């Protein structure tokens, strides 16, 4: 309460807490009275309490998310991707994953070449964009359903589950028909209708962190998906906006131990979009694993100068393979393991 | 070019610039060669050039947006909101606007009371949320179409155009039937499908700035709307994410003179969502006008402690009225004018 | 306390609070126990409490600064600058101030020309740098004591108090001999030894906000000066580091109403260093006043292209004069007044 | 140049470039003329060019630092710490280092206990604060010279070089008498006088990155030290200010590959001050090494609940030892090696 709050104001706030189903606990100091409100934090509406006369600030102690919290579910969640026409890949707990492929799917032959490269290098899930979120309306926006078909065929022929981005609620049904895993991009992390729609499906969701989202905001977005009954959420750290201008985004490595403590959901890193430049990708990927992440999602292209999108950040196949070797070493330090594609069994 | 780039690499880059329809201009220094590329910046794909051997960095000189730029359209755009059942309100050039109303439309009687208060206080457009973007899935999400009906009726009965948020491409048609102006929220500023859909309508769009968006990103989002043929875009600065934790968002007042120089589109400020606390709203509103904004959008509630959403930031009707008086004085300093509701003529 | 904290851990924390002279208040909820600690927040060491077993987090409710807080001193402080050889200028309460001059003092004739321009335009305190903090060791670093002499002479001859930056504890005595007001730059806001040294003098201090400092950090730095017995602190908002790259720093206008509520100290804005470009300076200055600031500090140069430092942000004398006219109008809206130089009486 | 710049303005800018010793190269496009300026970037004053009529912006292509740049000095610098009464420790190239000890030196017995713990755990340099920069004037400020004596004695008796912070130009001589390596704290990274003073000594300098400093700003601060003739600069990444509020500072892991590319100077990480909480320290330390850092500086305390300063972030001796084991494994992946204290020879 404000130092100048009257006894009536204090009494009024206490009564409101009772009315909302909570119990007030008063601590009177020399300068100030603090009222502890014990009860369900959803019922104890913070915004309402802040509005009452004499209230200086309301400090929530409980976390605003439930299903995503480690208090609700103590053990690490292991998410299954694939099954059916392709083997199942596990993410979470001791299972580390490498999702790789081109930024955008440009055509069938190029996808085939890159798919084989990433499979050889050690990836077990094949990424690729059919619908691309682009900052400028004049940039290439993706090949849509045709690209999804090529993507499905490539995954099936190599025995790899696939992961594809969905940008619009109207595309969810279409993308669901083809993909094994939805990707929600950073700019859609708080597109709440989209989160609800993928939450209604039973396909796992790779949820990228928004560029201005705190870890708490991110877990609340995961909660949107989980609250619809879809428990297959994998978090993906991909960098936040900061003042630093020598790199595209600052990969927030600190979010990994923080999220690992707050949530049971798996978390991976995307070094490609953070770096924006291939030279920096390996260092960020290795740092992510060392900090405790459950793997990476990375862009690979054998001819980056001809890529229609984000060529400068794509790894060359040989660099990718070498990186995977280093990642396997670091995974042993943090008690995780990357599956070999040959070991995966079809379900 | 990199200081160690070979003569072949320099030649190769020059040829690529020619191939893309541009003209290369070489400047050889003691340590480094700089290649100027003159031509259409859409054809001269920055990402491709960055990928070439020996290229250290690519520095774009041209702006990546066109229709939104002041170079394309020198004079201030004046956007018309309303017409038909309600008078037309102008925003832009010398026309300042005050859009006011409750955060969310809770019920018909409450909307009627608040509408009359804001009309009396000097607002000429009535805001109100039917669909609410909420960080938590457990928070109140708005009354949907029913709220839109109440909103339309309130606007018609008071002679005020209305402004309502649209969050999902599937809602665009519904919201368009009722509203005079779409609002696109900060979290949807880069929901590119949604931008395209409202761009296909002919109703004006209030485009809030994303929490991590640069002024350039924001103008590129405006470009998405403009490029579909809808020229009625009004920008709205509502604060960005910074490290400062004593206020919800930092209203970026510097974006106003910057945007005024770069674009012909009108720009207003939203002091309510930046402040998150009613005490700070008047100072931010006055600062916005003084910096050159074309008006404000502000939340008002006669019983904020009972509001279902964002009560702590809603102004009381009497504070709102007093603020409007001060805003009119500041508008004269920056050569703008707020219309009186009585002067507006039905079209 | 952590949800899994034992009864012993809770008891141990309660005992520690008693040992430190506080009183513990327990609130037991379904999932968690919260312990309120009432007492002197300096004695109740937050860092120590955080270290105890079972403690999840410690949330301070009291403010960590005292002398700077409005709770300690309810009325606005009015700081006096000058006296002796020059008139006294007041800053704070209803007294708005304009401090103007060149960025750096280049030579005597140039200072004389600019001094007369700013006096004519309406400034009452003359700024000018003798010691310049420069990001690069290769940039011009100021003319030192010689510049201080020119500055003193110019101030005396025009009847204007002067304000000059001090960067190093070893310079405090020297600068004190010449100046009427110390300036502490943004990069030195947490140079704690320097704060203590100027705190030991009785000359007022213009304390610029650090580029990464919260309002709370800033007030703690003011507390360093105040706690040495020097009560003449004027805060100066000059922009913070954000991700926005179209302007040098983002002038944090929201800090003004926040600081006005938390502290009794006067606060002014520096639009020149935030903008980095003269075109944006007037908008930021007007916004600062409208938000409730007690004035501005601004750079003026009659030949900016020849300035040794920060020419691009210096206002031309005629723009400065015009701006002052607009600032006087806005000051009346926020119930402040700029003194005319002719009205000031020598003390 | 601005699209509306006249032919005279373009000519004038070209002449100015010539006057400053450079060569102008014109590229005329459809909308805009770009003038390349080839020459010494110190002579070609950017600020002056920006001031000229018709100039839209000046984009520097050359780096503003020289001695710190990898272009100037291609191979990794290896910095030597110690010699004389203690063995020499190497930092840089393939040499990784662990600097450990208490936050502040509280008394002789406690320092002895902690020193032995960190030596046993694998540290080769002993840290400890005698002068502490504290945000609040009411916090403990360090034991000064007495603490330096204890520190020196502890280092000598265990055969470990010591590292101690210097905050004020007036302390440089005193601290130099005792320490083997100066530490410059984040809040003093742009205390230019202090940088110059330690630059005049021949003791190596651990230069922490400022909370709002870009990598470029940081290298310019290193340049201050280097330009005085002191070549022993070790950079230390310790987190930057961002909007994320679940951790004290965001360790900017991306700065490591960026700095490794731009400079030959060694770079280490400080996970303790970034995390602010012991649980997160190991993850950040491992990530730093994996990203390519040359080691860590970390706080250790055997009784953190009794520490006078920053207890919550201090590692327990057993956690520290375990962490060192993991760091040695990761160092092999990034081709570095931590020395064993027994292998170090006195010089």
């Amino acid at each position: 309460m404000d130092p100048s709050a009257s006894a009536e104001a204090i009494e009024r706030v206490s009564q409101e807490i009772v009315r909302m189903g909570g119990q007030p606990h008063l601590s009177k100091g020399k300068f100030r009275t603090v009222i502890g409100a014990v009860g369900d934090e959803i019922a104890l509406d913070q915004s309402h309490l802040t509005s009452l006369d004499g209230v200086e600030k309301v400090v929530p102690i409980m976390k605003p998310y439930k299903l995503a919290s480690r208090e609700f579910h103590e053990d690490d969640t292991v998410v299954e991707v694939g099954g059916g026409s392709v083997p199942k890949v596990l993410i979470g707990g001791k299972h580390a994953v490498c999702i790789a492929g081109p930024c955008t799917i440009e055509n069938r032959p190029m996808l085939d070449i890159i798919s084989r490269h990433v499979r050889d290098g050690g990836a077990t899930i094949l990424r690729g964009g059919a619908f691309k979120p682009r900052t400028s309306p004049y940039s290439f926006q993706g090949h849509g359903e045709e690209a999804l078909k090529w993507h499905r065929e490539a995954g099936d022929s190599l025995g790899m589950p696939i992961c594809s981005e969905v940008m619009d609620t109207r595309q969810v049904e279409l993308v669901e028909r083809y993909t094994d895993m939805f990707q929600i991009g950073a700019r859609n992390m708080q597109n709440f209708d989209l989160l609800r729609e993928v939450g209604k499906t039973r396909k796992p969701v790779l949820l990228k962190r928004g560029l201005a989202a705190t870890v708490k905001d991110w877990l609340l977005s995961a909660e949107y998906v989980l609250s619809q009954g879809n428990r297959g959420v994998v978090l993906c750290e991909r960098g936040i906006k900061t003042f630093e201008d020598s790199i595209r985004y600052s990969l927030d490595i600190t979010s990994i131990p923080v999220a690992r403590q707050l949530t049971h959901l798996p978390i991976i890193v995307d070094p490609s979009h953070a770096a924006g430049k291939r030279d920096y990708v390996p260092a960020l990927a290795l740092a992510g694993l060392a900090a405790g992440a459950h793997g990476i999602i990375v862009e690979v292209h054998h001819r980056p100068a001809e890529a229609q999108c984000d060529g400068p950040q794509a790894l060359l196949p040989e660099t990718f393979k070498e990186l995977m070797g280093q990642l396997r070493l670091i995974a042993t330090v943090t008690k995780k393991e990357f599956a070999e594609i040959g070991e995966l069994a079809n379900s």
Side-chain angles (χ1 to χ4, degrees), chain A:
Chain A
M1 305 292 296
D2 197 85
S4 62
S6 65
E8 289 71 35
I10 293 170
E11 178 56 25
R12 169 90 204 282
V13 171
S14 299
Q15 286 170 359
E16 279 297 297
I17 291 169
V18 171
R19 198 187 56 77
M20 292 187 284
Q23 302 139 43
H25 291 251
L26 262 69
S27 309
K28 277 183 208 282
K30 200 165 156 191
F31 295 106
R32 207 177 291 254
T33 295
V34 175
I35 308 180
V38 174
D40 180 342
E41 81 283 16
I42 293 169
L44 289 168
D45 180 13
Q46 183 183 345
S47 159
H48 173 57
L49 288 170
T50 310
S51 296
L52 298 177
D53 275 353
V55 173
E56 189 178 83
K57 63 178 169 179
V58 176
V59 181
I61 301 295
M62 290 287 284
K63 298 183 181 70
Y65 43 85
K66 283 179 174 308
L67 306 174
S69 80
R70 208 176 263 282
E71 290 166 27
F72 171 80
H73 186 292
E74 203 178 328
D75 295 329
D76 281 10
T77 283
V78 177
V79 172
E80 297 187 353
V81 183
S85 61
V86 287
K88 270 186 191 158
V89 173
L90 305 181
I91 312 176
K94 67 184 183 64
H95 304 281
V97 74
C98 173
I99 307 175
C103 176
T104 191
I105 295 173
E106 301 164 31
N107 54 57
R108 185 66 208 267
M110 196 166 270
L111 178 63
D112 286 347
I113 296 170
I114 296 174
S115 307
R116 246 167 282 135
H117 278 305
V118 301
R119 192 186 191 281
D120 287 354
T124 49
I125 298 180
L126 184 63
R127 63 151 290 146
F131 298 101
K132 297 299 304 174
R134 303 305 297 274
T135 306
S136 164
Y138 307 120
S139 301
F140 172 66
Q141 314 267 329
H143 284 300
E145 185 169 6
E146 204 173 7
L148 282 170
K149 280 184 193 160
W150 299 331
H151 199 178
R152 181 73 267 164
E153 290 166 12
D156 285 350
S157 79
L158 294 170
M160 297 173 82
I162 66 173
C163 173
S164 191
E165 178 159 355
V166 61
M167 288 171 58
D168 184 349
T169 50
R170 296 171 304 181
Q171 297 162 351
V172 172
E173 207 186 311
L174 172 70
V175 177
E176 191 190 1
R177 274 208 298 282
Y178 293 97
T179 200
D180 297 301
M181 184 180 214
F182 289 108
Q183 178 179 309
I184 302 287
R187 288 169 186 77
N188 276 320
M189 192 203 83
Q190 293 190 316
N191 182 335
F192 302 115
D193 288 285
L194 183 60
L195 296 174
R196 257 191 296 256
E197 285 305 312
V198 298
K200 287 179 194 158
T201 75
R202 290 299 169 268
K203 295 252 167 113
V205 177
L206 184 68
L207 180 63
K208 293 207 170 179
R209 180 179 180 188
L211 301 169
T214 60
V215 173
K216 193 185 101 175
D217 293 336
W218 196 14
L219 294 178
L220 279 166
S221 286
E223 191 83 7
Y224 262 95
V225 178
L226 298 169
S227 66
Q228 298 296 319
N230 186 341
R231 299 299 163 98
V233 176
V234 177
L235 301 169
C236 179
E237 164 65 43
R238 48 86 77 216
I240 56 173
K241 274 270 183 131
T242 70
F243 61 81
E244 177 57 55
D245 55 7
S246 62
I247 201 159
R248 207 200 279 158
Y249 301 105
S250 301
L251 190 76
D252 180 18
I253 213 75
T254 60
S255 73
I256 296 170
V258 171
R260 297 277 290 128
Q261 192 173 67
L262 296 176
T263 186
H264 51 91
L265 298 171
I267 173 167
I268 68 171
V269 297
D270 173 352
S272 308
H273 284 88
K277 193 171 166 185
R278 97 173 45 87
D279 293 359
Y280 302 146
V281 169
L284 300 187
L286 296 169
L289 257 283
H294 294 100
I296 62 165
I297 178 166
V298 69
E299 297 188 355
V300 176
H301 206 292
H302 61 303
R303 290 190 192 157
E306 294 170 21
Q308 275 179 292
C309 175
D310 280 343
Q313 76 197 32
L315 289 183
L316 292 167
E318 52 274 22
T319 321
F320 170 65
K321 199 167 190 168
E322 189 187 339
L323 172 61
M324 278 305 295
Q326 296 177 303
L327 286 169
R328 285 183 200 278
L329 292 173
I330 288 189
T332 63
V333 178
T334 58
K335 303 193 174 56
K336 292 187 190 67
E337 207 176 347
F338 284 92
E340 298 282 352
I341 192 100
E343 298 164 4
L344 299 172
N346 267 36
S347 55

